Amino acid sequence: RRKCIRTLQHGAGMVVMDACFSPDGRRMAAGMFDGSLRVWDLDVDHSGVVQMTHSTGAVKTAIFSPDRQSIVTGTSGGAVQSR
């Protein structure tokens, strides 16, 4: 049985398209329908510590690099970025 350990607020009406944990489990990134990428520091529970926005559509995928220094995103508009 799965248990919810924390709910992170991301704003009313926001749609999460994809979410991933950093390799060390300390951060979580969520790609949003509005083109933004939000990153939470799970140790301190700050909502949307980092927020970045794509201009080419919804963020459909997000993944941390193995060294945790960047996040690669892909959008519905076909753009791929490393942040």
Side-chain angles (χ1 to χ4, degrees), residues 27-78:
R27 293 186 295 162
M28 187 185 81
M32 311 300 282
F33 181 76
D34 70 354
S36 66
L37 175 74
R38 295 181 182 213
V39 181
W40 287 267
D41 183 333
L42 300 177
D43 288 338
V44 294
D45 196 27
H46 289 301
S47 283
V49 170
V50 178
Q51 182 176 339
M52 298 160 264
T53 304
H54 272 286
S55 60
T56 58
V59 176
K60 294 190 75 171
T61 188
I63 189 167
F64 281 88
S65 64
D67 66 2
R68 304 175 311 275
Q69 298 303 309
S70 60
I71 303 171
V72 176
T73 58
T75 70
S76 59

Side-chain angles (χ1 to χ4, degrees), residues 3-37:
K3 176 183 163 186
C4 179
I5 56 172
R6 183 177 298 157
T7 300
L8 301 172
Q9 300 300 317
H10 56 77
M14 302 295 287
V15 177
V16 176
M17 301 295 290
D18 189 36
C20 63
F21 288 97
S22 62
D24 62 7
R26 297 177 74 181
R27 293 186 295 162
M28 187 185 81
M32 311 300 282
F33 181 76
D34 70 354
S36 66
L37 175 74

